[in-house]
Amino acid sequence: MGSLEAGDVSHQRDNLHDRGTATIMGIGKAVPRHVFQQKSYPDYYFEITNSNHMVDLRAKFANICAKTMIEKRHLYFSDDMLRTNPSLMAHNSPSLTLRQELADVGIPQLGAEAAINAINDWGKQASDITHLVVATSCSGCMPGADCELGRLLGLRPSTKRFMMYQVGCHGGCTALRLSKDLAENNPGSRVLVVCSEVCTLSLRGLSASHIGDLVGQAILGDAASAVVVGSSPDADERALFELLATSQETVPGTEESLVSKLREDGIVYNLRRDIPLHVSDSVERLVERMLQKARVPPLDRNKEVFWVVHPGGRGILDRLESRLGLKEEKLAASRAVMRRYGNTRCSSVFLVMEEMRRWSENRALRTAGEGLKWGLIVSYGPGITVETILLRALPNKEVDA
């Protein structure tokens, strides 16, 4: 079947077995055990980087942290690990080998924890997985994290694997889009999607000449998330969301707006102030175009749509909320994830989906999408690349009963 770019989803049959539309059947997450409180992080960061003498920059960093709305972040690095390896917190220090070695271990380990939770939520065995899609914004080795994940999870040797490195914050949508195509074109397949992020390549000391990188130090956190995707659910499987249509757009003229480069001291970020403007403009256009092509009836964005938005930063969420005319509560799940975990890059959209799903279940709502039928996933990353996925939340049988 492939990703739907046009067609009438509103008139498709309701029988999932007849239609074969890809669905999300299980969701899981995992975070490192090392927690850093945002309020005290500026003091900690400047102390561990031996930068307390940079008074003005310290005040600037503290101001950035205070405006993020983040309360805490989980990081793969422990305090002891950082103090034992001072090159990790030095600016422009050639430490790529050490960083890569840490990522080679951390990415599959954290990813495996999230994957186990997703498989348990799905209710079947790891041996029932037929395809594995792994995404991360860091690392790069062969065999890759996908191969190590397969070993840690006990997947069958015949499992078909896809490894995506350096995908950026929109990578969760990219991986989910690929899983939709795999599930719909391979009858009976069950696709495990794992997004795992650790800051081994990006955490470093500060520089007054790289303010964009300073923002990254203030907002990035570590987490892994996973989903199980398949079409035509069996009687003992529970479908939470249908993946109806996907889109991706590279915003013209924004090549330098959101950039990360791999250097000897890891990944260095360059972030421009116009990112919220470009993202909000593109999202509004893509959403309208997707709904029109899918021939979905006109929808009230507040009353009839739930929003799973990548929490890339407070300014972007504020701008999207304003541009789309959304009430404050419509991005509550994204803001909750931002508060508790920061920007966890490609793993974040599934964290938001899980947050919304639990919120809906705790209130005994009819669907995992705040009780609503229609939903949209929105993510964005380097390029600037903007991805959207149209969802249909399926009724909770227990609530309906």
Side-chain angles (χ1 to χ4, degrees), residues 56-185:
D56 291 343
L57 199 58
R58 178 175 175 173
K60 186 178 186 66
F61 185 68
N63 186 52
I64 293 173
C65 288
K67 291 182 177 179
T68 61
M69 83 177 180
I70 298 171
E71 295 176 358
K72 66 178 178 65
R73 289 180 284 163
H74 294 252
L75 296 179
Y76 178 71
F77 287 125
S78 66
D79 176 72
D80 181 66
M81 189 183 301
L82 294 175
R83 295 186 186 279
T84 305
N85 300 280
S87 63
L88 295 174
M89 296 306 288
H91 180 73
N92 206 25
S93 172
S95 52
L96 184 57
T97 298
L98 175 60
R99 294 175 182 276
Q100 184 65 64
E101 289 173 348
L102 293 168
D104 291 346
V105 175
I107 290 171
Q109 281 186 348
L110 193 61
E113 292 182 36
I116 290 171
N117 290 332
I119 291 171
N120 289 339
D121 188 46
W122 171 40
K124 293 204 169 186
Q125 303 298 315
S127 58
D128 295 318
I129 295 296
T130 61
H131 296 73
L132 173 65
V133 179
V134 182
T136 184
S137 297
C138 59
S139 188
C141 60
M142 296 182 290
D146 58 327
C147 191
E148 179 64 8
L149 261 171
R151 186 189 68 80
L152 292 173
L153 296 173
L155 301 184
R156 292 181 298 172
S158 59
T159 303
K160 299 178 178 65
R161 295 177 284 109
F162 302 82
M163 183 69 234
M164 299 190 300
Y165 285 120
Q166 303 296 341
V167 291
C169 294
H170 63 283
C173 264
T174 305
L176 193 57
R177 173 164 50 84
L178 174 58
S179 75
K180 171 178 168 62
D181 290 342
L182 291 171
E184 294 177 349
N185 284 288

Side-chain angles (χ1 to χ4, degrees), residues 10 19 21 54 76 88 105 115 199 210 229-230 252 286 339:
S10 63
R19 183 169 65 252
T21 301
M54 305 175 74
Y76 178 71
L88 295 174
V105 175
C199 287
H210 290 84
V229 176
L286 286 174
R339 281 195 303 272

Side-chain angles (χ1 to χ4, degrees), residues 15-16 28 30 35 55 75 86 110 120 168 171 173 201 211 271 279 292 295 387:
N15 190 318
L16 291 174
V35 180
V55 179
L75 296 179
L110 193 61
N120 289 339
C173 264
L201 292 181
I211 299 302
L271 309 174
V279 170
Q292 289 174 6
R295 298 182 186 175
E387 296 219 25

Side-chain angles (χ1 to χ4, degrees), residues 190-208:
R190 293 297 179 261
V191 186
L192 175 63
V193 179
V194 181
C195 298
S196 184
E197 299 283 23
V198 295
C199 287
T200 58
L201 292 181
S202 57
L203 188 65
R204 69 170 55 74
L206 66 162
S207 169

Side-chain angles (χ1 to χ4, degrees), residues 129-363:
I129 295 296
T130 61
H131 296 73
L132 173 65
V133 179
V134 182
T136 184
S137 297
C138 59
S139 188
C141 60
M142 296 182 290
D146 58 327
C147 191
E148 179 64 8
L149 261 171
R151 186 189 68 80
L152 292 173
L153 296 173
L155 301 184
R156 292 181 298 172
S158 59
T159 303
K160 299 178 178 65
R161 295 177 284 109
F162 302 82
M163 183 69 234
M164 299 190 300
Y165 285 120
Q166 303 296 341
V167 291
C169 294
H170 63 283
C173 264
T174 305
L176 193 57
R177 173 164 50 84
L178 174 58
S179 75
K180 171 178 168 62
D181 290 342
L182 291 171
E184 294 177 349
N185 284 288
N186 297 273
S189 63
R190 293 297 179 261
V191 186
L192 175 63
V193 179
V194 181
C195 298
S196 184
E197 299 283 23
V198 295
C199 287
T200 58
L201 292 181
S202 57
L203 188 65
R204 69 170 55 74
L206 66 162
S207 169
S209 61
H210 290 84
I211 299 302
D213 195 53
L214 197 63
V215 173
Q217 305 305 316
I219 67 173
L220 296 182
D222 296 341
S225 59
V227 294
V228 176
V229 176
S231 61
S232 303
D234 294 333
D236 58 347
E237 292 178 310
R238 173 188 54 177
L240 298 169
F241 304 99
E242 289 179 313
L243 307 175
L244 296 179
T246 68
S247 72
Q248 184 191 74
E249 176 178 282
T250 303
V251 183
T254 64
E255 295 81 4
E256 301 300 322
S257 292
L258 202 171
V259 177
S260 66
K261 298 287 187 179
L262 184 60
R263 298 292 185 249
E264 289 183 346
D265 60 335
I267 293 177
V268 179
Y269 292 95
N270 182 29
L271 309 174
R272 289 187 176 175
R273 293 179 177 272
D274 59 0
I275 294 174
L277 173 64
H278 290 303
V279 170
S280 60
D281 287 349
S282 296
V283 167
E284 184 175 41
R285 182 175 63 256
L286 286 174
V287 166
E288 289 303 316
R289 188 170 68 191
M290 173 178 284
L291 294 177
Q292 289 174 6
K293 285 188 175 182
R295 298 182 186 175
V296 174
L299 299 173
D300 186 304
R301 294 174 182 173
N302 286 291
K303 296 180 180 180
E304 299 179 282
V305 181
F306 60 91
W307 297 84
V308 179
V309 178
H310 163 57
R314 180 177 185 174
I316 299 177
L317 292 179
D318 289 347
R319 184 86 185 203
L320 276 172
E321 185 178 276
S322 175
R323 187 61 186 262
L324 295 172
L326 301 179
K327 295 180 179 179
E328 184 177 353
E329 64 268 19
K330 297 306 294 183
L331 298 184
S334 296
R335 294 185 188 277
V337 168
M338 189 75 185
R339 281 195 303 272
R340 292 200 290 268
Y341 308 111
N343 178 349
T344 64
R345 302 173 301 293
C346 76
S347 66
S348 67
V349 288
F350 298 145
L351 296 183
V352 176
M353 185 179 290
E354 169 69 358
E355 172 72 19
M356 181 177 294
R357 180 260 192 102
R358 295 302 179 191
W359 186 90
S360 302
E361 287 183 347
N362 289 339
R363 288 157 179 76

